[in-house]
Amino acid sequence: MRLIERVWFYRDNARYWLVPLLLPLTLIFALLTRFRRWCYRIGLKKTQQLSEPVIVVGNIGVGGNGKTPVTLSLIELAKQCGYRPGVISRGYGGKAPHYPYLLTSESTAVESGDESYLIYQRAQVPVCVGSDRIAAGNKLIELGCNLIIADDGLQHYRLARQCELIVVDAKRMLGNGLLLPAGPLREGKARLQKADLVIFNGVETLATEQLNLLNSVDGRYLLERTITMRLAATKVVNLASKQVMSVSEFTKRFSSVNAIAGIGDPARFFTTLTTIGLDCQHSRGFVDHHHFQASDFADYDDNIPLLMTEKDAVKCQGFAKDNYWYLTVDADFEPSAQEKLTSLLVKLNIGK
């Protein structure tokens, strides 16, 4: 893990000197972001309304918090409610030939970005990427989508939205609670007040730490708009052969694996592998959105399964070996949480 992330999220002596050094930059960042929000509030900058409802799935901090699994679940719920959903995203890390870029069967993760490509493959709905979310959303509406789901983009205030879902990592929470770069936050915790739903990823029920955060922001009112979820491992897929195994079948066949992860919190993936009964002989974390190359795996034994996340797998298909596998995970919501999500979707349709 990078030094700055240890300072943000974990106990590290460097915080005593690094955080004070970064606080002046944090002050500048805070002033700039507040001025930007103020410009939208008084009308100096204009928000733009799409002709179809928009749901934003985002977070107030940096790093992976579980937004993509939430987006995938939201897509399925939207279909059940009769919507024709489409997804817009910035396509972080991608290098598309043009923007807005509509994914097709010929697209690659290099062009669209790993998360956008994963959503397109898994959900089989229209996905359009580009920094101009308005243009991307309009392109999907032209295709017949009547619900636009923005994967990330909580701070993209130019795009008007009817609903906001904010995902919080229940393990790392808000780190040291400071704005960038002294802390991991792009917006302060008070931003949670404006969310239609706050989703804590990684717990079945709210613990003291989460309750204290909610109480420090908005007390009982925010608690009514909070749900929890866990990421459930569902199956294991071979990159080369496309063979699919259940998790139980895989763990019976292979007790030991090597593992890599290029996500916001690699340790969470490695913990998941241990939880399902696998012994990780060698695990290595990469920075989020790392562009994998075959040379990254030169030191791994080809006779032992190499297990990775689905997000990493979309970037390794071109050089996959027979021992490369990826684990798929889905957002696991309690029935009451699914009811809250469904209720939000139904209200969007009523409001049209």
Side-chain angles (χ1 to χ4, degrees):
M1 176 176 289
R2 294 179 301 171
L3 172 63
I4 190 64
E5 291 181 343
R6 296 204 305 269
V7 170
W8 288 347
F9 297 111
Y10 299 90
R11 295 184 181 276
D12 194 300
N13 290 332
R15 70 188 186 277
Y16 294 118
W17 59 266
L18 188 55
V19 169
L21 285 176
L22 294 174
L23 281 176
L25 295 177
T26 288
L27 177 60
I28 294 172
F29 178 81
L31 292 173
L32 289 174
T33 54
R34 182 169 295 184
F35 176 73
R36 180 169 170 266
R37 289 195 297 267
W38 178 77
C39 287
Y40 279 104
R41 188 159 49 244
I42 69 170
L44 287 178
K45 289 188 175 184
K46 302 292 185 182
T47 59
Q48 290 185 245
Q49 182 81 46
L50 297 182
S51 60
E52 301 293 350
V54 174
I55 298 180
V56 173
V57 181
N59 57 9
I60 60 173
V62 299
N65 288 350
K67 296 186 304 297
T68 298
V70 171
T71 297
L72 290 169
S73 290
L74 195 60
I75 291 169
E76 293 308 310
L77 284 175
K79 289 178 180 178
Q80 295 172 21
C81 290
Y83 286 103
R84 298 183 300 278
V87 177
I88 58 175
S89 172
R90 183 174 183 177
Y92 185 85
K95 297 179 179 178
H98 57 82
Y99 292 102
Y101 178 67
L102 184 68
L103 274 68
T104 70
S105 58
E106 304 299 320
S107 298
T108 66
V110 173
E111 295 172 329
S112 64
D114 47 23
E115 290 170 346
S116 303
Y117 188 76
L118 188 161
I119 291 170
Y120 179 74
Q121 279 199 324
R122 281 277 299 270
Q124 295 295 298
V125 297
V127 177
C128 192
V129 302
S131 59
D132 186 345
R133 267 78 160 197
I134 306 297
N138 282 328
K139 197 170 188 68
L140 293 183
I141 292 171
E142 291 172 4
L143 294 176
C145 295
N146 61 2
L147 175 66
I148 305 302
I149 300 174
D151 180 48
D152 212 352
L154 188 68
Q155 290 76 35
H156 192 79
Y157 294 117
R158 181 168 162 254
L159 174 65
R161 68 288 304 265
Q162 284 65 49
C163 183
E164 289 183 337
L165 309 182
I166 297 182
V167 186
V168 179
D169 186 324
K171 173 187 173 185
R172 301 196 296 179
M173 297 291 284
L174 304 183
N176 60 19
L178 298 174
L179 295 178
L180 290 165
L185 301 185
R186 291 180 280 193
E187 297 185 89
K189 64 181 181 180
R191 181 67 172 81
L192 298 176
Q193 292 176 315
K194 298 185 181 300
D196 294 272
L197 212 55
V198 175
I199 304 171
F200 282 102
N201 172 24
V203 289
E204 291 182 359
T205 57
L206 294 174
T208 301
E209 192 174 7
Q210 291 88 49
L211 290 172
N212 287 342
L213 172 61
L214 296 174
N215 287 329
S216 70
V217 176
D218 201 12
R220 188 175 302 173
Y221 176 61
L222 185 56
L223 183 60
E224 294 174 355
R225 294 181 281 119
T226 299
I227 61 175
T228 62
M229 76 172 210
R230 283 184 174 274
L231 295 180
T234 54
K235 60 186 177 181
V236 188
V237 183
N238 186 278
L239 268 70
S241 68
K242 309 304 179 187
Q243 179 185 2
V244 179
M245 287 190 190
S246 66
V247 171
S248 60
E249 182 182 1
F250 186 87
T251 54
K252 288 178 182 177
R253 182 172 175 182
F254 305 106
S255 58
S256 298
V257 298
N258 292 321
I260 60 98
I263 56 177
D265 185 11
R268 167 176 280 175
F269 177 65
F270 304 141
T271 299
T272 297
L273 299 186
T274 302
T275 301
I276 63 177
L278 291 171
D279 174 27
C280 291
Q281 293 191 3
H282 178 56
S283 58
R284 181 183 176 190
F286 294 81
V287 296
D288 199 10
H289 303 288
H290 177 74
H291 289 284
F292 287 100
Q293 302 177 12
S295 58
D296 289 325
F297 309 107
D299 297 332
Y300 289 94
D301 186 348
D302 291 346
N303 296 313
I304 299 176
L306 178 62
L307 203 52
M308 62 187 72
T309 72
E310 188 174 7
K311 191 172 89 168
D312 296 323
V314 300
K315 295 173 287 189
C316 300
Q317 292 176 342
F319 51 85
K321 295 182 179 180
D322 292 340
N323 66 317
Y324 287 17
W325 299 78
Y326 67 86
L327 180 71
T328 66
V329 296
D330 292 320
D332 183 20
F333 292 101
E334 293 291 327
S336 59
Q338 287 214 22
E339 288 176 8
K340 287 187 177 182
L341 286 168
T342 302
S343 177
L344 287 176
L345 289 166
V346 171
K347 287 179 182 177
L348 288 178
N349 195 42
I350 293 174
K352 289 193 63 182

